[in-house]
């Protein structure tokens, strides 16, 4: 059995760090599922938000592979709340909608041509969470329709269940950024796509 060393590190082929210990600043990848977290110097190693595993290895600075499968998020399949959000939109435009674990809904208007999403203080939409890279994704609003691009994130960008380098955003599209499940809404678009997701039996 590997002997634990200081800061919860375990000797082995790769240095492993256990939940609840200090590993220092950097990016760390779950030993089971590959989900990545980014930690500051005084942050404790968490349990994996994706699979609950308690062991992490330090990730390479140039490692951008992450997960290939859609992360497992604790969220209901009931998407009828999105229609309530849509009905309250007063201005045409593009939005991201998110509901947290407590049921609180946030609606984020997308303004400008380039919208940067990440953990950085300079991000246009900021998620202060270790599962989100400093520069995680970019939404581009140009002629030809809005698109999302992976900005070399550790955990990747998932669009409607598929990991993508870039993808076209349509009304009702699901985006997964780290542990956050977001929905793209076109204030001038049709709700047919969201209705199909909320009521798959009727589709």
């Amino acid at each position: 059995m590997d002997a634990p060393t200081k800061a919860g590190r375990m000797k082995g082929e790769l240095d492993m760090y256990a939940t609840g210990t200090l590993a220092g600043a950097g990016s760390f990848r779950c030993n089971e599922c590959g989900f990545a977290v980014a930690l500051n110097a005084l942050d404790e190693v968490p349990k994996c938000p994706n699979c609950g595993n308690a062991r992490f290895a330090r990730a390479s600075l140039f490692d951008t592979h992450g997960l290939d499968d859609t992360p497992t998020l604790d969220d209901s399949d009931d998407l009828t709340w999105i229609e309530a959000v849509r009905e309250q939109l007063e201005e045409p435009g593009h939005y991201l909608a998110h509901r947290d674990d407590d049921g609180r809904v946030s609606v984020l208007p997308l303004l400008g041509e380039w919208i940067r999403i990440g953990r950085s203080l300079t991000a246009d939409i900021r998620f202060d969470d270790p599962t989100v890279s400093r520069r995680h994704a970019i939404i581009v609003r140009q002629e030809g329709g809005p698109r999302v691009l992976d900005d070399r994130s550790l955990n990747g960008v998932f669009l409607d269940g598929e990991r993508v380098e870039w993808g076209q955003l349509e009304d009702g599209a699901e985006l997964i950024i780290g542990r956050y499940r977001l929905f793209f809404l076109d204030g001038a678009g049709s709700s047919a796509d969201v209705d199909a997701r909320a009521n798959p039996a009727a589709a």
Side-chain angles (χ1 to χ4, degrees):
M1 178 179 294
D2 294 334
T5 61
K6 65 178 181 179
R9 190 170 62 183
M10 304 170 188
K11 290 183 178 180
E13 185 176 351
L14 292 174
D15 284 340
M16 291 292 172
Y17 299 86
T19 295
T21 59
L22 297 178
S27 298
F28 301 81
R29 196 170 291 287
C30 174
N31 189 43
E32 288 293 327
C33 71
F35 203 73
V37 297
L39 304 179
N40 295 317
L42 298 179
D43 289 342
E44 291 185 354
V45 177
K47 283 190 176 181
C48 177
N50 185 53
C51 73
N53 182 50
R55 296 180 65 184
F56 283 77
R58 187 175 292 274
S60 165
L61 179 65
F62 303 102
D63 179 4
T64 59
H65 293 289
L67 295 171
D68 291 323
D69 297 326
T70 307
T72 302
L73 301 179
D74 292 331
D75 206 343
S76 170
D77 289 332
D78 179 11
L79 303 181
T80 55
W81 63 272
I82 299 176
E83 280 309 304
V85 170
R86 187 188 299 282
E87 291 174 1
Q88 297 177 35
L89 296 179
E90 297 179 352
E91 298 291 336
H94 297 143
Y95 301 85
L96 289 180
H98 166 67
R99 185 172 66 172
D100 65 19
D101 294 339
D102 296 325
R104 183 176 56 187
V105 173
S106 300
V107 181
L108 311 171
L110 303 179
L111 306 174
E113 189 175 355
W114 297 76
I115 299 95
R116 291 170 172 82
I117 303 174
R119 196 166 43 86
S120 170
L121 292 173
T122 61
D124 300 300
I125 296 177
R126 182 171 183 257
F127 294 105
D128 187 14
D129 187 271
T131 66
V132 178
S133 297
R134 293 184 182 278
R135 296 171 52 181
H136 201 112
I138 300 174
I139 292 178
V140 181
R141 302 166 68 233
Q142 294 178 329
E143 185 176 352
R147 304 184 302 278
V148 62
L149 293 79
D150 188 341
D151 199 10
R152 299 197 304 172
S153 66
L154 279 172
N155 283 321
V157 172
F158 290 82
L159 175 60
D160 289 331
E162 297 288 335
R163 182 168 183 170
V164 297
E165 293 297 323
W166 71 273
Q168 202 77 26
L169 289 174
E170 298 180 356
D171 188 48
E174 178 194 68
L175 275 177
I176 293 181
I177 304 289
R179 69 178 184 88
Y180 294 92
R181 188 185 191 195
L182 312 169
F183 291 89
F184 175 80
L185 298 180
D186 185 341
S190 166
S191 63
D193 288 340
V194 174
D195 289 342
R197 289 183 174 89
N199 302 286

